[in-house]
Amino acid sequence: MTRHRRRVGRREDLGQATVELALVLPVLVVLAMALVQVGLVARTTVLVQHAAREGARVAAVGGSIREVEDAVIGSSGLLLPDTDVERIVEGDLVTVTVRHLARTDAPLVGPLLPDVVLSATVSMRRERRGGRRRRVHPMVVYRWGVQSLTEGAGDRVQLDVHRYARESCVVLAVLGELDLAGAPRLRQSVVSETATGIRHLVLDLTAVDFIDSTGLGVVVGALKRLRAHGAELSVVCPEQRIRRVFEMCDLDRVFTLHGTVDDAVSASGSV
Amino acid sequence: MSSGARPVGSVEIAVPPVPEYLQMVRAIVGAAAALDDRLQAGRVADVRLVVSEAVANALRAQEAAHVADPILVRCDLRGDRIVVEVADHGPGFDPSAVPDLPEVETPERLRHESGLGVSLMHQLADSAVLDSGPDGTVVKLTFIVGDA
């Protein structure tokens, strides 16, 4: 009697395992498909980076926008309707941005996830024909529309300058390490801004990871150049480690270091 | 090991005289200095800044004289101190001829876009010795790693 009961008990256990498996299996399958989807997006991310680099390479040797597009599409196999290529020539730098709409279409999970916009920007120095040939490391900046997947990919960033207008000011947002290697890039941006006759330039150093005396020299040079044109300069520098270098050189007494771009913009004219 | 590690040894790098290598030099020397975990993060940043100033000066000196030889950077961990030496093959200069900076608030101050590097080295390193001759300049920067 007892034996029989025990056997029945085991059978019930077996049934329970089957029911549990039946409950858990769909979850496992969905998780596995989600992993596949993440893998696909990661692959596309690499393709977009690669495509931007190929495009920039063609642009650096003077390729037309058509040739840049061909290089981008040809090197990556990304679909043209979902891909947007932009080429900006600024001074001796050329910047190629590739934006790609990665459609999430893995079975089961695809419809649940929003499509992702991946973008990669690569700047390279334009190669001049003839003249002094110097090997220059390409400056590579990656940005992702959704989130920054790779902090480490910024390792090769030397310096990047983004320009935008805010109210009556022009803001130059500086990104990267402002040293002897990065200084010419910023100096050139300041020179071309001054030439357009602006009244107020804001240098945003929030995203500067490192500055040395050469970098400070560019900021001082910008102040002199702007004053000579009757314009003013504001510096945004919230990071203590960068502020400190200004302080070491007593330049915090020459510049007001603002905490945010908005502060700097609203300080316009009141100085 | 986790507290009070005193690694002893040295790292030496030969740097091509191209500004793009500055970032790498800072990374290597900074990482070597950070091996000594008694050195605070702020102090490691000082080492990075000072070595960058020294190598930038070396780059400028060699560029002006069109010298393509590598710049030698050596970072010595000596237990109680970290010694960084930067040797270039530039034409050399007279350290005493580096002009003193004018008072900050005078307009002349803005003429000085350069020359701040040597001043930073003296401020941030516990000792900065510049030895310059016709065969080049050696900058020796010492950072004391005191427990105090």
Side-chain angles (χ1 to χ4, degrees), chain A residues 134 157-158 177 179 181 210 212-214 217 224 227 244 248-250 253, chain B residues 19-20 22-23 26 46 49 52-53 60 104-105 109-110 113 117 120 123:
Chain A
R134 200 177 111 204
V157 172
Q158 300 265 4
E177 310 215 343
D179 61 7
F210 175 88
D212 64 7
S213 65
T214 310
K224 287 199 312 193
R227 279 193 182 161
R244 183 158 177 261
M248 301 280 327
C249 294
D250 277 336
R253 289 156 72 189
Chain B
E20 277 76 7
L22 263 179
Q23 194 175 20
R26 284 196 296 273
D46 290 350
L49 176 55
S52 188
E53 297 292 352
R60 285 199 193 91
V104 181
E105 273 143 18
R109 183 63 164 77
L110 290 182
E113 280 174 55
L120 274 176
Q123 284 185 70

PDB file of all heavy atoms in Angstrom, chain A residues 134 157-158 177 179 181 210 212-214 217 224 227 244 248-250 253, chain B residues 19-20 22-23 26 46 49 52-53 60 104-105 109-110 113 117 120 123:
ATOM      1  N   ARG A 134      52.625  64.093 -44.475  1.00  0.00           N
ATOM      2  CA  ARG A 134      52.845  63.686 -43.097  1.00  0.00           C
ATOM      3  C   ARG A 134      51.760  62.693 -42.759  1.00  0.00           C
ATOM      4  O   ARG A 134      50.604  62.897 -43.092  1.00  0.00           O
ATOM      5  CB  ARG A 134      52.734  64.916 -42.204  1.00  0.00           C
ATOM      6  CG  ARG A 134      53.383  64.728 -40.875  1.00  0.00           C
ATOM      7  CD  ARG A 134      53.277  66.015 -40.110  1.00  0.00           C
ATOM      8  NE  ARG A 134      52.370  65.804 -39.009  1.00  0.00           N
ATOM      9  CZ  ARG A 134      51.701  66.763 -38.415  1.00  0.00           C
ATOM     10  NH1 ARG A 134      51.802  67.991 -38.817  1.00  0.00           N
ATOM     11  NH2 ARG A 134      50.924  66.492 -37.420  1.00  0.00           N
ATOM     12  N   VAL A 157      40.065  59.132 -30.254  1.00  0.00           N
ATOM     13  CA  VAL A 157      39.676  60.517 -30.424  1.00  0.00           C
ATOM     14  C   VAL A 157      40.835  61.414 -30.028  1.00  0.00           C
ATOM     15  O   VAL A 157      41.406  61.254 -28.978  1.00  0.00           O
ATOM     16  CB  VAL A 157      38.472  60.876 -29.534  1.00  0.00           C
ATOM     17  CG1 VAL A 157      38.214  62.370 -29.591  1.00  0.00           C
ATOM     18  CG2 VAL A 157      37.263  60.115 -29.973  1.00  0.00           C
ATOM     19  N   GLN A 158      41.200  62.326 -30.886  1.00  0.00           N
ATOM     20  CA  GLN A 158      42.159  63.334 -30.471  1.00  0.00           C
ATOM     21  C   GLN A 158      41.373  64.568 -30.066  1.00  0.00           C
ATOM     22  O   GLN A 158      41.360  64.946 -28.919  1.00  0.00           O
ATOM     23  CB  GLN A 158      43.126  63.645 -31.607  1.00  0.00           C
ATOM     24  CG  GLN A 158      43.910  62.434 -32.035  1.00  0.00           C
ATOM     25  CD  GLN A 158      45.251  62.350 -31.372  1.00  0.00           C
ATOM     26  OE1 GLN A 158      45.587  63.146 -30.537  1.00  0.00           O
ATOM     27  NE2 GLN A 158      46.035  61.364 -31.753  1.00  0.00           N
ATOM     28  N   GLU A 177      41.007  65.625 -26.252  1.00  0.00           N
ATOM     29  CA  GLU A 177      42.187  66.052 -25.500  1.00  0.00           C
ATOM     30  C   GLU A 177      42.814  67.263 -26.190  1.00  0.00           C
ATOM     31  O   GLU A 177      43.211  67.191 -27.344  1.00  0.00           O
ATOM     32  CB  GLU A 177      43.180  64.890 -25.388  1.00  0.00           C
ATOM     33  CG  GLU A 177      42.480  63.633 -24.895  1.00  0.00           C
ATOM     34  CD  GLU A 177      43.339  62.763 -23.997  1.00  0.00           C
ATOM     35  OE1 GLU A 177      44.569  62.937 -23.983  1.00  0.00           O
ATOM     36  OE2 GLU A 177      42.769  61.900 -23.296  1.00  0.00           O
ATOM     37  N   ASP A 179      45.668  69.218 -26.546  1.00  0.00           N
ATOM     38  CA  ASP A 179      47.117  69.339 -26.362  1.00  0.00           C
ATOM     39  C   ASP A 179      47.745  69.810 -27.668  1.00  0.00           C
ATOM     40  O   ASP A 179      47.047  70.310 -28.547  1.00  0.00           O
ATOM     41  CB  ASP A 179      47.703  67.992 -25.891  1.00  0.00           C
ATOM     42  CG  ASP A 179      47.480  66.879 -26.915  1.00  0.00           C
ATOM     43  OD1 ASP A 179      47.002  67.184 -28.033  1.00  0.00           O
ATOM     44  OD2 ASP A 179      47.776  65.718 -26.594  1.00  0.00           O
ATOM     45  N   ALA A 181      48.630  68.227 -30.142  1.00  0.00           N
ATOM     46  CA  ALA A 181      48.058  67.571 -31.323  1.00  0.00           C
ATOM     47  C   ALA A 181      46.675  68.124 -31.654  1.00  0.00           C
ATOM     48  O   ALA A 181      46.314  68.257 -32.822  1.00  0.00           O
ATOM     49  CB  ALA A 181      47.979  66.057 -31.100  1.00  0.00           C
ATOM     50  N   PHE A 210      41.318  66.451 -21.298  1.00  0.00           N
ATOM     51  CA  PHE A 210      42.673  66.827 -20.888  1.00  0.00           C
ATOM     52  C   PHE A 210      43.002  68.162 -21.515  1.00  0.00           C
ATOM     53  O   PHE A 210      42.645  68.419 -22.660  1.00  0.00           O
ATOM     54  CB  PHE A 210      43.665  65.761 -21.371  1.00  0.00           C
ATOM     55  CG  PHE A 210      45.110  66.109 -21.091  1.00  0.00           C
ATOM     56  CD1 PHE A 210      45.689  65.766 -19.882  1.00  0.00           C
ATOM     57  CD2 PHE A 210      45.858  66.808 -22.027  1.00  0.00           C
ATOM     58  CE1 PHE A 210      47.011  66.107 -19.609  1.00  0.00           C
ATOM     59  CE2 PHE A 210      47.180  67.151 -21.756  1.00  0.00           C
ATOM     60  CZ  PHE A 210      47.747  66.788 -20.550  1.00  0.00           C
ATOM     61  N   ASP A 212      46.411  71.052 -21.591  1.00  0.00           N
ATOM     62  CA  ASP A 212      47.733  71.437 -21.080  1.00  0.00           C
ATOM     63  C   ASP A 212      47.986  72.892 -21.474  1.00  0.00           C
ATOM     64  O   ASP A 212      47.069  73.581 -21.933  1.00  0.00           O
ATOM     65  CB  ASP A 212      48.816  70.490 -21.598  1.00  0.00           C
ATOM     66  CG  ASP A 212      48.979  70.544 -23.109  1.00  0.00           C
ATOM     67  OD1 ASP A 212      48.354  71.413 -23.747  1.00  0.00           O
ATOM     68  OD2 ASP A 212      49.720  69.711 -23.640  1.00  0.00           O
ATOM     69  N   SER A 213      49.215  73.359 -21.296  1.00  0.00           N
ATOM     70  CA  SER A 213      49.448  74.780 -21.522  1.00  0.00           C
ATOM     71  C   SER A 213      49.269  75.150 -22.993  1.00  0.00           C
ATOM     72  O   SER A 213      48.898  76.268 -23.309  1.00  0.00           O
ATOM     73  CB  SER A 213      50.844  75.168 -21.042  1.00  0.00           C
ATOM     74  OG  SER A 213      51.825  74.525 -21.817  1.00  0.00           O
ATOM     75  N   THR A 214      49.512  74.183 -23.888  1.00  0.00           N
ATOM     76  CA  THR A 214      49.276  74.473 -25.305  1.00  0.00           C
ATOM     77  C   THR A 214      47.784  74.730 -25.542  1.00  0.00           C
ATOM     78  O   THR A 214      47.401  75.650 -26.264  1.00  0.00           O
ATOM     79  CB  THR A 214      49.734  73.279 -26.170  1.00  0.00           C
ATOM     80  OG1 THR A 214      51.050  72.917 -25.780  1.00  0.00           O
ATOM     81  CG2 THR A 214      49.710  73.639 -27.633  1.00  0.00           C
ATOM     82  N   GLY A 217      46.887  77.989 -24.261  1.00  0.00           N
ATOM     83  CA  GLY A 217      47.379  78.996 -25.199  1.00  0.00           C
ATOM     84  C   GLY A 217      46.361  79.286 -26.296  1.00  0.00           C
ATOM     85  O   GLY A 217      46.184  80.433 -26.704  1.00  0.00           O
ATOM     86  N   LYS A 224      42.335  86.977 -27.414  1.00  0.00           N
ATOM     87  CA  LYS A 224      43.013  88.111 -28.054  1.00  0.00           C
ATOM     88  C   LYS A 224      42.418  88.409 -29.420  1.00  0.00           C
ATOM     89  O   LYS A 224      42.137  89.548 -29.764  1.00  0.00           O
ATOM     90  CB  LYS A 224      44.501  87.787 -28.229  1.00  0.00           C
ATOM     91  CG  LYS A 224      45.250  87.831 -26.925  1.00  0.00           C
ATOM     92  CD  LYS A 224      46.732  87.968 -27.130  1.00  0.00           C
ATOM     93  CE  LYS A 224      47.279  87.005 -28.149  1.00  0.00           C
ATOM     94  NZ  LYS A 224      48.752  86.950 -28.107  1.00  0.00           N
ATOM     95  N   ARG A 227      38.909  89.909 -29.098  1.00  0.00           N
ATOM     96  CA  ARG A 227      38.958  91.302 -28.625  1.00  0.00           C
ATOM     97  C   ARG A 227      39.391  92.235 -29.735  1.00  0.00           C
ATOM     98  O   ARG A 227      38.865  93.328 -29.872  1.00  0.00           O
ATOM     99  CB  ARG A 227      39.928  91.418 -27.451  1.00  0.00           C
ATOM    100  CG  ARG A 227      39.288  90.980 -26.164  1.00  0.00           C
ATOM    101  CD  ARG A 227      40.139  91.395 -24.988  1.00  0.00           C
ATOM    102  NE  ARG A 227      39.544  90.926 -23.753  1.00  0.00           N
ATOM    103  CZ  ARG A 227      40.217  90.817 -22.613  1.00  0.00           C
ATOM    104  NH1 ARG A 227      41.496  91.151 -22.565  1.00  0.00           N
ATOM    105  NH2 ARG A 227      39.614  90.402 -21.538  1.00  0.00           N
ATOM    106  N   ARG A 244      41.291  73.345 -12.831  1.00  0.00           N
ATOM    107  CA  ARG A 244      42.505  73.399 -12.031  1.00  0.00           C
ATOM    108  C   ARG A 244      43.688  73.898 -12.871  1.00  0.00           C
ATOM    109  O   ARG A 244      44.526  74.665 -12.402  1.00  0.00           O
ATOM    110  CB  ARG A 244      42.794  72.002 -11.490  1.00  0.00           C
ATOM    111  CG  ARG A 244      43.969  71.962 -10.612  1.00  0.00           C
ATOM    112  CD  ARG A 244      43.981  70.783  -9.668  1.00  0.00           C
ATOM    113  NE  ARG A 244      45.220  70.832  -8.915  1.00  0.00           N
ATOM    114  CZ  ARG A 244      46.280  70.110  -9.222  1.00  0.00           C
ATOM    115  NH1 ARG A 244      46.240  69.258 -10.210  1.00  0.00           N
ATOM    116  NH2 ARG A 244      47.393  70.254  -8.517  1.00  0.00           N
ATOM    117  N   MET A 248      46.072  76.952 -12.108  1.00  0.00           N
ATOM    118  CA  MET A 248      47.527  76.849 -11.941  1.00  0.00           C
ATOM    119  C   MET A 248      48.237  77.954 -12.715  1.00  0.00           C
ATOM    120  O   MET A 248      49.304  78.407 -12.328  1.00  0.00           O
ATOM    121  CB  MET A 248      48.056  75.514 -12.480  1.00  0.00           C
ATOM    122  CG  MET A 248      47.502  74.259 -11.882  1.00  0.00           C
ATOM    123  SD  MET A 248      48.186  73.769 -10.314  1.00  0.00           S
ATOM    124  CE  MET A 248      49.845  74.298 -10.409  1.00  0.00           C
ATOM    125  N   CYS A 249      47.665  78.327 -13.869  1.00  0.00           N
ATOM    126  CA  CYS A 249      48.294  79.341 -14.711  1.00  0.00           C
ATOM    127  C   CYS A 249      47.700  80.722 -14.447  1.00  0.00           C
ATOM    128  O   CYS A 249      47.918  81.638 -15.226  1.00  0.00           O
ATOM    129  CB  CYS A 249      48.139  78.975 -16.177  1.00  0.00           C
ATOM    130  SG  CYS A 249      49.028  77.488 -16.599  1.00  0.00           S
ATOM    131  N   ASP A 250      46.917  80.835 -13.372  1.00  0.00           N
ATOM    132  CA  ASP A 250      46.302  82.111 -12.998  1.00  0.00           C
ATOM    133  C   ASP A 250      45.324  82.622 -14.043  1.00  0.00           C
ATOM    134  O   ASP A 250      44.992  83.804 -14.045  1.00  0.00           O
ATOM    135  CB  ASP A 250      47.377  83.185 -12.759  1.00  0.00           C
ATOM    136  CG  ASP A 250      47.941  83.066 -11.354  1.00  0.00           C
ATOM    137  OD1 ASP A 250      47.233  82.530 -10.483  1.00  0.00           O
ATOM    138  OD2 ASP A 250      49.084  83.515 -11.132  1.00  0.00           O
ATOM    139  N   ARG A 253      41.685  84.120 -13.444  1.00  0.00           N
ATOM    140  CA  ARG A 253      41.475  85.549 -13.178  1.00  0.00           C
ATOM    141  C   ARG A 253      41.279  86.320 -14.471  1.00  0.00           C
ATOM    142  O   ARG A 253      40.848  87.467 -14.468  1.00  0.00           O
ATOM    143  CB  ARG A 253      42.661  86.110 -12.388  1.00  0.00           C
ATOM    144  CG  ARG A 253      42.651  85.575 -10.956  1.00  0.00           C
ATOM    145  CD  ARG A 253      44.022  85.607 -10.334  1.00  0.00           C
ATOM    146  NE  ARG A 253      44.467  86.954 -10.016  1.00  0.00           N
ATOM    147  CZ  ARG A 253      45.717  87.243  -9.617  1.00  0.00           C
ATOM    148  NH1 ARG A 253      46.604  86.287  -9.504  1.00  0.00           N
ATOM    149  NH2 ARG A 253      46.043  88.477  -9.344  1.00  0.00           N
TER     150      ARG A 253
ATOM    151  N   PRO B  19      53.126  65.095 -32.816  1.00  0.00           N
ATOM    152  CA  PRO B  19      52.241  65.457 -31.702  1.00  0.00           C
ATOM    153  C   PRO B  19      51.188  64.403 -31.383  1.00  0.00           C
ATOM    154  O   PRO B  19      50.765  64.277 -30.231  1.00  0.00           O
ATOM    155  CB  PRO B  19      51.579  66.751 -32.174  1.00  0.00           C
ATOM    156  CG  PRO B  19      52.504  67.326 -33.171  1.00  0.00           C
ATOM    157  CD  PRO B  19      53.201  66.177 -33.821  1.00  0.00           C
ATOM    158  N   GLU B  20      50.775  63.645 -32.391  1.00  0.00           N
ATOM    159  CA  GLU B  20      49.719  62.658 -32.170  1.00  0.00           C
ATOM    160  C   GLU B  20      50.120  61.583 -31.151  1.00  0.00           C
ATOM    161  O   GLU B  20      49.274  60.854 -30.653  1.00  0.00           O
ATOM    162  CB  GLU B  20      49.301  62.010 -33.493  1.00  0.00           C
ATOM    163  CG  GLU B  20      48.286  62.816 -34.283  1.00  0.00           C
ATOM    164  CD  GLU B  20      48.875  64.020 -35.006  1.00  0.00           C
ATOM    165  OE1 GLU B  20      50.121  64.176 -35.004  1.00  0.00           O
ATOM    166  OE2 GLU B  20      48.105  64.828 -35.557  1.00  0.00           O
ATOM    167  N   LEU B  22      51.489  62.242 -28.246  1.00  0.00           N
ATOM    168  CA  LEU B  22      51.429  62.787 -26.885  1.00  0.00           C
ATOM    169  C   LEU B  22      50.429  62.048 -26.007  1.00  0.00           C
ATOM    170  O   LEU B  22      50.697  61.716 -24.857  1.00  0.00           O
ATOM    171  CB  LEU B  22      51.001  64.253 -26.946  1.00  0.00           C
ATOM    172  CG  LEU B  22      52.090  65.298 -26.896  1.00  0.00           C
ATOM    173  CD1 LEU B  22      51.458  66.675 -27.002  1.00  0.00           C
ATOM    174  CD2 LEU B  22      52.857  65.180 -25.608  1.00  0.00           C
ATOM    175  N   GLN B  23      49.268  61.790 -26.599  1.00  0.00           N
ATOM    176  CA  GLN B  23      48.198  61.139 -25.850  1.00  0.00           C
ATOM    177  C   GLN B  23      48.666  59.776 -25.332  1.00  0.00           C
ATOM    178  O   GLN B  23      48.394  59.401 -24.194  1.00  0.00           O
ATOM    179  CB  GLN B  23      46.995  60.971 -26.790  1.00  0.00           C
ATOM    180  CG  GLN B  23      45.729  60.617 -26.083  1.00  0.00           C
ATOM    181  CD  GLN B  23      44.542  60.574 -27.049  1.00  0.00           C
ATOM    182  OE1 GLN B  23      44.713  60.453 -28.267  1.00  0.00           O
ATOM    183  NE2 GLN B  23      43.358  60.671 -26.525  1.00  0.00           N
ATOM    184  N   ARG B  26      51.162  60.141 -22.392  1.00  0.00           N
ATOM    185  CA  ARG B  26      50.447  60.431 -21.140  1.00  0.00           C
ATOM    186  C   ARG B  26      49.826  59.168 -20.574  1.00  0.00           C
ATOM    187  O   ARG B  26      49.887  58.908 -19.377  1.00  0.00           O
ATOM    188  CB  ARG B  26      49.316  61.426 -21.398  1.00  0.00           C
ATOM    189  CG  ARG B  26      49.745  62.829 -21.573  1.00  0.00           C
ATOM    190  CD  ARG B  26      48.551  63.753 -21.439  1.00  0.00           C
ATOM    191  NE  ARG B  26      47.549  63.582 -22.466  1.00  0.00           N
ATOM    192  CZ  ARG B  26      47.557  64.199 -23.637  1.00  0.00           C
ATOM    193  NH1 ARG B  26      48.532  65.017 -23.947  1.00  0.00           N
ATOM    194  NH2 ARG B  26      46.598  64.000 -24.515  1.00  0.00           N
ATOM    195  N   ASP B  46      48.503  65.066 -12.254  1.00  0.00           N
ATOM    196  CA  ASP B  46      49.637  65.998 -12.303  1.00  0.00           C
ATOM    197  C   ASP B  46      50.785  65.404 -13.115  1.00  0.00           C
ATOM    198  O   ASP B  46      51.397  66.085 -13.943  1.00  0.00           O
ATOM    199  CB  ASP B  46      50.155  66.302 -10.887  1.00  0.00           C
ATOM    200  CG  ASP B  46      49.166  67.149 -10.103  1.00  0.00           C
ATOM    201  OD1 ASP B  46      48.197  67.639 -10.704  1.00  0.00           O
ATOM    202  OD2 ASP B  46      49.390  67.308  -8.883  1.00  0.00           O
ATOM    203  N   LEU B  49      49.956  65.580 -16.730  1.00  0.00           N
ATOM    204  CA  LEU B  49      50.050  66.939 -17.263  1.00  0.00           C
ATOM    205  C   LEU B  49      51.508  67.349 -17.453  1.00  0.00           C
ATOM    206  O   LEU B  49      51.899  67.861 -18.502  1.00  0.00           O
ATOM    207  CB  LEU B  49      49.326  67.909 -16.318  1.00  0.00           C
ATOM    208  CG  LEU B  49      49.395  69.388 -16.676  1.00  0.00           C
ATOM    209  CD1 LEU B  49      48.902  69.638 -18.091  1.00  0.00           C
ATOM    210  CD2 LEU B  49      48.569  70.220 -15.699  1.00  0.00           C
ATOM    211  N   SER B  52      53.284  65.595 -20.228  1.00  0.00           N
ATOM    212  CA  SER B  52      52.779  66.090 -21.496  1.00  0.00           C
ATOM    213  C   SER B  52      53.438  67.423 -21.851  1.00  0.00           C
ATOM    214  O   SER B  52      53.802  67.668 -23.005  1.00  0.00           O
ATOM    215  CB  SER B  52      51.263  66.250 -21.385  1.00  0.00           C
ATOM    216  OG  SER B  52      50.718  66.539 -22.622  1.00  0.00           O
ATOM    217  N   GLU B  53      53.598  68.286 -20.836  1.00  0.00           N
ATOM    218  CA  GLU B  53      54.270  69.572 -21.066  1.00  0.00           C
ATOM    219  C   GLU B  53      55.711  69.350 -21.528  1.00  0.00           C
ATOM    220  O   GLU B  53      56.185  69.983 -22.466  1.00  0.00           O
ATOM    221  CB  GLU B  53      54.296  70.403 -19.771  1.00  0.00           C
ATOM    222  CG  GLU B  53      52.926  70.795 -19.257  1.00  0.00           C
ATOM    223  CD  GLU B  53      52.216  71.791 -20.152  1.00  0.00           C
ATOM    224  OE1 GLU B  53      52.828  72.301 -21.106  1.00  0.00           O
ATOM    225  OE2 GLU B  53      51.026  72.053 -19.897  1.00  0.00           O
ATOM    226  N   ARG B  60      58.344  70.535 -29.857  1.00  0.00           N
ATOM    227  CA  ARG B  60      58.513  71.852 -30.481  1.00  0.00           C
ATOM    228  C   ARG B  60      59.973  72.107 -30.811  1.00  0.00           C
ATOM    229  O   ARG B  60      60.299  72.596 -31.893  1.00  0.00           O
ATOM    230  CB  ARG B  60      58.029  72.947 -29.532  1.00  0.00           C
ATOM    231  CG  ARG B  60      56.530  73.042 -29.446  1.00  0.00           C
ATOM    232  CD  ARG B  60      56.136  74.404 -28.885  1.00  0.00           C
ATOM    233  NE  ARG B  60      54.736  74.392 -28.514  1.00  0.00           N
ATOM    234  CZ  ARG B  60      54.299  74.069 -27.303  1.00  0.00           C
ATOM    235  NH1 ARG B  60      55.166  73.746 -26.354  1.00  0.00           N
ATOM    236  NH2 ARG B  60      53.021  74.066 -27.045  1.00  0.00           N
ATOM    237  N   VAL B 104      49.332  88.847 -13.745  1.00  0.00           N
ATOM    238  CA  VAL B 104      48.193  88.288 -14.458  1.00  0.00           C
ATOM    239  C   VAL B 104      47.265  89.324 -15.052  1.00  0.00           C
ATOM    240  O   VAL B 104      46.801  89.197 -16.181  1.00  0.00           O
ATOM    241  CB  VAL B 104      47.375  87.430 -13.485  1.00  0.00           C
ATOM    242  CG1 VAL B 104      46.207  86.828 -14.210  1.00  0.00           C
ATOM    243  CG2 VAL B 104      48.238  86.372 -12.878  1.00  0.00           C
ATOM    244  N   GLU B 105      46.989  90.366 -14.273  1.00  0.00           N
ATOM    245  CA  GLU B 105      45.934  91.258 -14.732  1.00  0.00           C
ATOM    246  C   GLU B 105      46.424  92.350 -15.677  1.00  0.00           C
ATOM    247  O   GLU B 105      45.628  93.144 -16.160  1.00  0.00           O
ATOM    248  CB  GLU B 105      45.193  91.847 -13.522  1.00  0.00           C
ATOM    249  CG  GLU B 105      44.082  90.887 -13.106  1.00  0.00           C
ATOM    250  CD  GLU B 105      43.888  90.808 -11.610  1.00  0.00           C
ATOM    251  OE1 GLU B 105      44.350  91.722 -10.913  1.00  0.00           O
ATOM    252  OE2 GLU B 105      43.281  89.832 -11.147  1.00  0.00           O
ATOM    253  N   ARG B 109      50.052  90.131 -20.151  1.00  0.00           N
ATOM    254  CA  ARG B 109      49.950  88.722 -19.832  1.00  0.00           C
ATOM    255  C   ARG B 109      49.389  87.931 -21.011  1.00  0.00           C
ATOM    256  O   ARG B 109      49.780  86.802 -21.270  1.00  0.00           O
ATOM    257  CB  ARG B 109      49.043  88.561 -18.602  1.00  0.00           C
ATOM    258  CG  ARG B 109      48.900  87.156 -18.118  1.00  0.00           C
ATOM    259  CD  ARG B 109      50.266  86.626 -17.650  1.00  0.00           C
ATOM    260  NE  ARG B 109      50.079  85.430 -16.841  1.00  0.00           N
ATOM    261  CZ  ARG B 109      49.808  84.263 -17.338  1.00  0.00           C
ATOM    262  NH1 ARG B 109      49.717  84.134 -18.621  1.00  0.00           N
ATOM    263  NH2 ARG B 109      49.627  83.238 -16.546  1.00  0.00           N
ATOM    264  N   LEU B 110      48.508  88.574 -21.751  1.00  0.00           N
ATOM    265  CA  LEU B 110      47.857  87.863 -22.842  1.00  0.00           C
ATOM    266  C   LEU B 110      48.793  87.634 -24.018  1.00  0.00           C
ATOM    267  O   LEU B 110      48.480  86.886 -24.919  1.00  0.00           O
ATOM    268  CB  LEU B 110      46.612  88.622 -23.301  1.00  0.00           C
ATOM    269  CG  LEU B 110      45.466  88.609 -22.291  1.00  0.00           C
ATOM    270  CD1 LEU B 110      44.277  89.347 -22.848  1.00  0.00           C
ATOM    271  CD2 LEU B 110      45.067  87.186 -21.934  1.00  0.00           C
ATOM    272  N   GLU B 113      51.115  83.173 -24.907  1.00  0.00           N
ATOM    273  CA  GLU B 113      50.306  82.000 -25.207  1.00  0.00           C
ATOM    274  C   GLU B 113      51.136  80.761 -24.930  1.00  0.00           C
ATOM    275  O   GLU B 113      50.625  79.665 -24.857  1.00  0.00           O
ATOM    276  CB  GLU B 113      49.893  82.007 -26.675  1.00  0.00           C
ATOM    277  CG  GLU B 113      48.726  82.916 -26.934  1.00  0.00           C
ATOM    278  CD  GLU B 113      48.422  83.019 -28.405  1.00  0.00           C
ATOM    279  OE1 GLU B 113      48.229  81.975 -29.029  1.00  0.00           O
ATOM    280  OE2 GLU B 113      48.388  84.152 -28.912  1.00  0.00           O
ATOM    281  N   GLY B 117      54.311  76.119 -19.885  1.00  0.00           N
ATOM    282  CA  GLY B 117      54.629  74.720 -19.599  1.00  0.00           C
ATOM    283  C   GLY B 117      55.697  74.554 -18.537  1.00  0.00           C
ATOM    284  O   GLY B 117      55.545  73.763 -17.606  1.00  0.00           O
ATOM    285  N   LEU B 120      54.381  75.339 -15.205  1.00  0.00           N
ATOM    286  CA  LEU B 120      53.547  74.247 -14.681  1.00  0.00           C
ATOM    287  C   LEU B 120      54.401  73.116 -14.118  1.00  0.00           C
ATOM    288  O   LEU B 120      54.083  72.534 -13.091  1.00  0.00           O
ATOM    289  CB  LEU B 120      52.650  73.692 -15.789  1.00  0.00           C
ATOM    290  CG  LEU B 120      51.322  74.397 -16.020  1.00  0.00           C
ATOM    291  CD1 LEU B 120      50.610  73.790 -17.210  1.00  0.00           C
ATOM    292  CD2 LEU B 120      50.444  74.286 -14.778  1.00  0.00           C
ATOM    293  N   GLN B 123      55.633  74.035 -10.792  1.00  0.00           N
ATOM    294  CA  GLN B 123      54.572  74.068  -9.786  1.00  0.00           C
ATOM    295  C   GLN B 123      54.132  72.680  -9.359  1.00  0.00           C
ATOM    296  O   GLN B 123      53.830  72.442  -8.199  1.00  0.00           O
ATOM    297  CB  GLN B 123      53.344  74.796 -10.345  1.00  0.00           C
ATOM    298  CG  GLN B 123      53.466  76.287 -10.397  1.00  0.00           C
ATOM    299  CD  GLN B 123      52.148  76.894 -10.858  1.00  0.00           C
ATOM    300  OE1 GLN B 123      51.143  76.878 -10.149  1.00  0.00           O
ATOM    301  NE2 GLN B 123      52.146  77.419 -12.059  1.00  0.00           N
TER     302      GLN B 123
END
